[in-house]
Amino acid sequence: MALPAWLTSRKRSATARSVLAGEAAAEAARKQEQELAAEREEGAGAEEPEFPVVGDVRAAAFFDLDNTVMQGAALFHFGRGLYKRKFFRKRELARFAWQQTYFRLAGSENADHMQDARESALSIVKGHRVAELMAIGEEIYDEYMAGRIWPGTRALAQAHLDAGQKVWLVTAAPVETATIIARRLGLTGALGTVAESVGGVYTGRLVGEPLHGPAKAEAVRALAAAEGLDLDRCAAYSDSANDIPMLSLVGYPYAINPDSRLRAHAREMGWRLRDYRTGRKAAKVGIPAAAGVGALAGGAAAAVAVQRRRR
């Protein structure tokens, strides 16, 4: 059966203009194909190399602790554990609670508040034996810290360990607390603030100054020299702009759960960012979820209530 005439194509002779149009379309198609192929090759070349590099023994990783590896401040959690063991009164507990609330609301470290927290802790442990506090620290880790480790950051640390690299915590927290956490997480070790002790008893003073800001960078530089590390092949991770000196030392700086200043700096420098917090809007990363503040307030209130019942 023959098709209707209106369905059949009409034969037309190719004009010079149609030939030109056809050739132009074909050339454009070829050019597009070549450009796409070039983009694919360029993209493949721009892919980040394997990281961390397996077997690179001159590389290592350095992790800040507070709000990078663990939610909140290690000193606060340690203080909660000591309060439970009647090392101090509810007035000091309220002080620790306020310091932690400020830390969470600000989303960053404030030098004055961190110094105040350290002085509180030093006054509390003065006269106690180092061995006693180490044993208690193990218990406090299980009670208050183990459940606050960020899984994402833990996975980053494990990736370095799996690659055969050493991983250190670098923190202003007491070196004893940092060492316990590092050991529990299977890390290589920890650099932390050293409290003076004489005959195994705390004096209530520091050796030097807190390991904070530029001091962290100096500690990392010294450790790298002692270990024969190439800092350009090392990585560092932190949430705080106070650690920009440490982050700037290494070839692979990461901003983890960053405060606003570090986030802006990381974007300007092209550093990698990771945020493992939940219940927070990106525009207001310093504001915690209501549940977090409620839990803190509730914990302090419960402690006070318990104290009242004991009277």
Side-chain angles (χ1 to χ4, degrees):
M1 178 179 176
L3 293 173
W6 60 272
L7 284 178
T8 59
S9 59
R10 291 176 292 175
K11 292 182 180 180
R12 294 180 179 176
S13 58
T15 65
R17 291 180 65 84
S18 62
V19 170
L20 182 61
E23 290 177 348
E27 180 62 23
R30 290 183 65 253
K31 184 178 180 180
Q32 184 180 26
E33 180 184 13
Q34 292 170 355
E35 289 176 349
L36 288 173
E39 288 178 3
R40 285 193 292 268
E41 291 179 3
E42 183 179 354
E47 289 181 1
E48 291 188 7
E50 177 191 9
F51 182 79
V53 179
V54 176
D56 186 356
V57 295
R58 296 199 64 199
F62 304 93
F63 284 79
D64 171 53
L65 175 57
D66 294 350
N67 213 30
T68 301
V69 171
M70 182 176 66
Q71 182 181 358
L75 267 177
F76 169 73
H77 299 310
F78 189 63
R80 290 177 68 191
L82 292 182
Y83 176 81
K84 178 181 177 181
R85 291 161 177 81
K86 302 179 182 180
F87 269 68
F88 56 92
R89 295 168 295 181
K90 65 180 180 181
R91 180 176 61 187
E92 283 80 17
L93 174 67
R95 189 178 186 184
F96 270 103
W98 158 244
Q99 290 161 349
Q100 175 71 355
T101 301
Y102 180 90
F103 180 83
R104 288 175 60 85
L105 289 175
S108 62
E109 297 173 1
N110 175 282
D112 292 336
H113 281 267
M114 296 299 287
Q115 177 66 23
D116 191 30
R118 280 187 290 273
E119 290 177 355
S120 298
L122 285 169
S123 66
I124 291 167
V125 302
K126 180 180 179 179
H128 288 276
R129 300 196 64 81
V130 176
E132 175 192 11
L133 269 296
M134 285 293 289
I136 291 174
E138 295 281 357
E139 298 173 1
I140 291 174
Y141 177 83
D142 291 326
E143 293 169 1
Y144 298 113
M145 300 180 185
R148 289 176 171 80
I149 302 299
W150 296 109
T153 313
R154 179 69 186 87
L156 291 174
Q158 189 61 48
H160 287 280
L161 294 170
D162 291 344
Q165 298 174 6
K166 293 183 177 180
V167 179
W168 283 277
L169 291 180
V170 187
T171 174
V175 66
E176 293 87 355
T177 301
T179 299
I180 290 170
I181 296 171
R183 185 171 63 249
R184 290 299 193 93
L185 296 179
L187 309 184
T188 306
L191 298 167
T193 298
V194 179
E196 181 185 74
S197 64
V198 177
V201 178
Y202 288 113
T203 66
R205 296 187 295 270
L206 293 181
V207 177
E209 62 178 18
L211 198 68
H212 188 263
K216 282 188 178 182
E218 292 305 316
V220 168
R221 196 192 309 273
L223 184 61
E227 293 278 332
L229 302 173
D230 181 351
L231 286 172
D232 287 337
R233 291 145 73 171
C234 292
Y237 303 79
S238 178
D239 73 295
S240 174
N242 293 321
D243 287 338
I244 287 175
M246 179 180 74
L247 294 169
S248 300
L249 278 181
V250 301
Y252 297 89
Y254 281 79
I256 305 293
N257 306 327
D259 61 32
S260 57
R261 284 178 53 217
L262 179 57
R263 182 179 290 271
H265 187 82
R267 285 175 172 168
E268 180 181 349
M269 300 298 295
W271 292 353
R272 300 158 184 82
L273 291 106
R274 301 286 187 275
D275 203 323
Y276 301 119
R277 293 167 293 193
T278 58
R280 303 184 182 201
K281 295 182 179 179
K284 298 181 179 180
V285 295
I287 299 177
V293 176
L296 175 62
V304 172
V306 169
Q307 183 72 14
R308 286 174 178 169
R309 285 198 298 270
R310 286 176 176 170
R311 290 180 175 178

